[in-house]
Amino acid sequence: MFKPYVGWKVNPQLEVVAQYAWLKADEKPTTSRDDDYGRELDIYATYKLYNNLSYMVGFGYFWTGDYFQNTAGTIRLEDNWMLVNQLTLAF
């Protein structure tokens, strides 16, 4: 996996982060087309409401690679996405 990322602290309460991941298998199985798992892009922002309470919202998209496709091409692959909401209380 290769995963570069960049973050930006907009102000003391708000931080925005973007990550890109490229995933590849060590070996290609004989029943698979390729050793490429896929690629993923994540963008999320965290806002500190109080000293011990923060809110995070994020979005992720995964482009599925050919590792999950068989050599005959009979499996239908779709890309995946997710939306995340998180409220964190630390004490």
Side-chain angles (χ1 to χ4, degrees), residues 63-78:
W63 292 272
T64 307
D66 287 338
Y67 180 86
F68 302 101
Q69 182 67 266
N70 60 5
T71 53
T74 56
I75 299 173
R76 185 166 186 263
L77 298 176
E78 294 184 8

Side-chain angles (χ1 to χ4, degrees), residues 4-19:
Y5 68 94
V6 62
W8 179 38
K9 195 154 186 100
V10 179
N11 59 41
Q13 290 84 24
L14 179 63
E15 181 179 12
V16 178
V17 177
Q19 302 177 3

Side-chain angles (χ1 to χ4, degrees), residues 34-80:
D34 198 4
D35 61 352
D36 181 31
Y37 278 123
R39 288 155 181 79
E40 181 177 349
L41 177 66
D42 299 320
I43 300 171
Y44 58 92
T46 304
Y47 189 79
K48 190 173 184 179
L49 299 167
Y50 298 104
N51 285 339
N52 62 345
L53 183 65
S54 62
Y55 173 71
M56 189 268 289
V57 63
F59 175 78
Y61 196 87
F62 181 70
W63 292 272
T64 307
D66 287 338
Y67 180 86
F68 302 101
Q69 182 67 266
N70 60 5
T71 53
T74 56
I75 299 173
R76 185 166 186 263
L77 298 176
E78 294 184 8
D79 298 337
N80 295 301

